[in-house]
Amino acid sequence: MLFYGIAMVVLVGLVLVASRRRDRRLEWATKPLAALTFIAAAVARGSLETIYGQVLTFGLVLAAIGDVLLIPASKRSFLFGLIAFLFGHVAYGIAFIVRGVELAPLVAALVALFVLAVPILRWLWPHVPGPMRIPVASYVLVITTMVALSIGTYADAPDLRIPIGAVAFYFSDLAVARNRFVSEGFVNRAWGLPLYFGSQLMLAWTAG
């Protein structure tokens, strides 16, 4: 995992440089490679040997596709990227269910996280264009459920890497949402991208 972690740090650093300079060619050259590091890490951990690992790896691949689709500035590409991430979260949630989920902590987490989702949606809603509101609301619903399932599976068989990865992914998506709908700027990517890639590597680490 150390090799993949170092490779990711270097590549994410280059992605941030590309983003700061608005250099699309450098971003296209480095961001897909950065995404490949967490997929390769999962496979190296033996993810293809278990159902949990296979489903989780499928989610990682969808996340990588979604990340690449965020590179272009077009609204259509962003929407397809959002859809890829949404199904990636579904895959993670299914993987956590396959791993095993404790019901009572899951329900408690769902209640707490949906309470948290209300002010987040209130913050975003005035800035989200009409055609994007249903996709955005669906995304919030799915990612909130995924995080709750990560807590439920932790309660069933403790492994802090799972809820940490899921929560980090959740907050990295807030950076994407802020950048897309509220206030575009490099600062969103400066903290959002490291958090996102770190979260994927953390989840990949559990795949074996």
Side-chain angles (χ1 to χ4, degrees):
M1 289 298 291
L2 180 61
F3 168 78
Y4 299 106
I6 293 171
M8 176 178 286
V9 168
V10 171
L11 288 165
V12 171
L14 290 171
V15 173
L16 287 171
V17 170
S19 179
R20 182 66 173 174
R21 295 179 178 177
R22 298 184 180 273
D23 186 338
R24 289 283 186 210
R25 286 181 296 179
L26 180 58
E27 191 171 4
W28 274 110
T30 54
K31 206 175 189 186
L33 288 176
L36 281 176
T37 59
F38 56 71
I39 298 171
V43 174
R45 289 286 293 176
S47 67
L48 303 183
E49 298 171 11
T50 66
I51 296 176
Y52 166 74
Q54 291 167 6
V55 179
L56 187 75
T57 302
F58 183 59
L60 291 169
V61 170
L62 287 169
I65 292 170
D67 204 37
V68 170
L69 286 170
L70 293 187
I71 297 175
S74 74
K75 293 180 180 178
R76 173 172 289 188
S77 183
F78 178 82
L79 177 59
F80 285 138
L82 188 73
I83 293 170
F85 276 122
L86 185 147
F87 282 107
H89 289 306
V90 171
Y92 291 150
I94 293 172
F96 300 152
I97 292 169
V98 167
R99 185 177 183 272
V101 172
E102 192 76 26
L103 185 59
L106 168 62
V107 172
L110 278 171
V111 171
L113 288 166
F114 276 112
V115 169
L116 175 64
V118 171
I120 290 174
L121 277 174
R122 282 184 176 177
W123 164 62
L124 278 178
W125 217 240
H127 309 282
V128 179
M132 288 297 296
R133 286 189 168 184
I134 290 178
V136 168
S138 300
Y139 191 88
V140 171
L141 172 66
V142 170
I143 192 172
T144 299
T145 304
M146 183 276 291
V147 175
L149 285 166
S150 78
I151 294 169
T153 196
Y154 169 79
D156 184 70
D159 185 338
L160 269 175
R161 295 171 298 183
I162 293 176
I164 288 174
V167 170
F169 198 175
Y170 184 97
F171 282 104
S172 73
D173 275 346
L174 292 182
V176 174
R178 185 179 188 275
N179 191 70
R180 184 71 189 190
F181 300 118
V182 181
S183 179
E184 185 180 2
F186 176 72
V187 66
N188 301 311
R189 299 180 182 91
W191 67 271
L193 283 173
L195 196 61
Y196 162 71
F197 281 101
S199 72
Q200 301 312 293
L201 189 62
M202 185 72 72
L203 290 172
W205 196 3
T206 74

